Amino acid sequence: MPEYGYFLSCEEFGPAELIEQARMAEQAGFRALWISDHYHPWNDAQGQSPFVWSVLGALSEAVSLPVETAVTCPTVRTHPAVIAQAAATTAVMTEGRFRLGVGSGEALNEHILGHVWPPASVRLEMLEESIQIMRRLFTGEEVSHHGTHYTVENARLYTVPDEPVPIDISGFGPAATALAARVGDGYITMMPEASMVEQFRKGGGGAKLVSGGTKVCYGTDRDEAVRTVHRLWGNQFLPGELAQVLPSPRHFEQAQTLVTEDMVRDKAVCGDDVDEHVAALSAFADAGFDRIYVNQIGPDQRGFFDFYRTKVLPQLTQD
């Protein structure tokens, strides 16, 4: 039976709110946490973007749940040697309850220092090399590396966990999924597609952890919930590679004008129909996921956690 976790949104909430949501998630019966790692929100309506590593430090004291970044890009904005230090320290502070979720990133967050935003194939090369560097650093040994994309000289992490930090790789297409299967400690994807899980497992992933997540908007007024999703998260309904290549929240706001409330109503879980919420998460379980994370869109966090504690999680976790 899969475990169910809560997905903390750094794009929509500030640090204090995220910590309180984590506490409520643990009290409601969620078994794990995801947390996003962004420099910018997707649009100004979301309105936040705290530094994830600071929030993770607070989470290590606030809750006892496992926590994972979903996901960090260790390639452009931040050098993998720096991410390795941050991840190792977080793993020590959480007593081994931290996993590092990584992906090839989005221009929205990664272009801010003026570097060229590479095509997807190059980004995957960079991601693989960065994982090699981080794994070597997690040993606590001195590392020097002169590779295609990165240079590391005489770097050593002195604060490291007893076991190396597991690195899960995000993949939404065949190439990234193949990389996850070949070198990842686990696989992350956001659609309940059994074919992608099968590709990962047959491509070398075997029985390693497969995690997925989705967003919902609980509320007693379904139309109001639809409007909330449309206003805050219309970006998630944009097609193709737009999420990877648009450079600023302003551009996402321009693209979101193509998303209608009817599109949200047809595609998003909105309202307080228990069966609808259960079905959305069960789709991931049916596709073979091991951990399934859900995020509540909008301000009614306490209502969401009460709803899931009393009505949704009991159905999902019953034998």
Side-chain angles (χ1 to χ4, degrees), residues 9 61 75 94 135 141 228 230 265 285 297 304 307 310:
S9 172
E61 293 294 316
T75 61
T94 57
R135 285 204 171 119
E141 298 176 358
T228 298
H230 182 257
R265 189 174 285 104
I297 294 172
F304 164 86
F307 177 65
T310 59

Side-chain angles (χ1 to χ4, degrees), residues 197-211:
V197 176
E198 183 179 15
Q199 181 193 344
F200 171 76
R201 297 212 183 280
K202 290 185 175 179
K208 293 177 180 178
L209 185 71
V210 174
S211 302

Side-chain angles (χ1 to χ4, degrees), residues 132-143:
Q132 294 170 354
I133 292 167
M134 291 188 292
R135 285 204 171 119
R136 290 179 64 191
L137 287 166
F138 289 153
T139 66
E141 298 176 358
E142 184 176 296
V143 173

Side-chain angles (χ1 to χ4, degrees), residues 123-284:
R123 300 201 307 269
L124 288 177
E125 287 179 8
M126 296 172 72
L127 182 60
E128 182 169 4
E129 187 175 337
S130 76
I131 291 169
Q132 294 170 354
I133 292 167
M134 291 188 292
R135 285 204 171 119
R136 290 179 64 191
L137 287 166
F138 289 153
T139 66
E141 298 176 358
E142 184 176 296
V143 173
S144 291
H145 172 92
H146 298 276
T148 303
H149 301 287
Y150 302 104
T151 298
V152 178
E153 292 187 350
N154 308 117
R156 179 184 171 190
L157 297 182
Y158 280 79
T159 301
V160 293
D162 293 335
E163 298 293 333
V165 180
I167 301 176
D168 299 338
I169 300 176
S170 172
F172 303 107
T177 303
L179 176 64
R182 185 162 51 83
V183 305
D185 295 309
Y187 175 50
I188 292 171
T189 191
M190 298 299 287
M191 295 297 293
E193 295 182 2
S195 61
M196 303 300 285
V197 176
E198 183 179 15
Q199 181 193 344
F200 171 76
R201 297 212 183 280
K202 290 185 175 179
K208 293 177 180 178
L209 185 71
V210 174
S211 302
T214 190
K215 292 181 177 295
V216 304
C217 187
Y218 162 79
T220 55
D221 183 332
R222 188 170 192 271
D223 289 337
E224 178 61 28
V226 168
R227 289 191 291 270
T228 298
V229 175
H230 182 257
R231 178 174 60 88
L232 292 174
W233 285 92
N235 59 282
Q236 68 178 328
F237 303 102
L238 295 174
E241 292 186 71
L242 289 178
Q244 282 71 52
V245 301
L246 293 180
S248 76
R250 180 179 68 256
H251 292 95
F252 278 93
E253 288 164 4
Q254 293 169 0
Q256 281 176 220
T257 62
L258 302 174
V259 178
T260 67
E261 287 188 9
D262 284 341
M263 291 169 64
V264 172
R265 189 174 285 104
D266 290 342
K267 296 181 179 180
V269 176
C270 296
D272 59 355
D273 185 318
V274 176
D275 291 341
E276 189 176 358
H277 285 261
V278 168
L281 274 66
S282 295
F284 286 88

